[in-house]
């Protein structure tokens, strides 16, 4: 899924940066012994607001038995 953000909802800026949060700040699943998932943030260059946060592989946060086939 490719989500495009055209405008910051806070300052109406139109330029964005992408940053990642990993290591001890990574997202940890409550259902898995997996070590964590990098969180990506889309940040407005004008006001610095985080306008979107996401993980690239959300399936890894599920229990192995609940993951979709053919991943």
């Amino acid at each position: 899924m490719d989500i495009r953000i055209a405008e910051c909802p806070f300052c109406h800026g139109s330029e964005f940066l992408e940053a990642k949060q990993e290591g001890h700040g990574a997202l940890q699943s409550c259902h898995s012994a997996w070590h964590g998932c990098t969180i990506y943030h889309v940040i407005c260059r004008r006001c610095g607001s985080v306008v979107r946060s996401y993980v690239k592989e959300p399936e890894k946060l599920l229990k192995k038995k609940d993951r979709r086939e053919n991943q």
Side-chain angles (χ1 to χ4, degrees):
M1 177 185 329
D2 190 24
I3 297 174
R4 303 270 181 204
I5 299 171
E7 183 176 270
C8 174
F10 304 103
C11 74
H12 308 291
S14 60
E15 293 184 44
F16 302 93
L17 303 169
E18 185 172 82
K20 64 182 179 177
Q21 179 178 340
E22 53 189 359
H24 293 293
L27 191 62
Q28 196 85 21
S29 173
C30 294
H31 304 289
S32 172
W34 191 65
H35 293 293
C37 210
T38 300
I39 303 170
Y40 294 86
H41 302 285
V42 176
I43 302 165
C44 176
R45 280 188 67 177
R46 185 173 176 192
C47 72
S49 295
V50 176
V51 296
R52 178 173 184 245
S53 297
Y54 64 96
V55 296
K56 290 186 177 182
E57 296 175 301
E59 291 292 319
K60 288 187 174 182
L61 296 170
L62 299 173
K63 292 179 184 177
K64 282 188 179 184
K65 68 180 184 88
D66 294 332
R67 294 180 189 172
R68 292 187 192 134
E69 296 295 321
N70 302 321
Q71 285 286 315

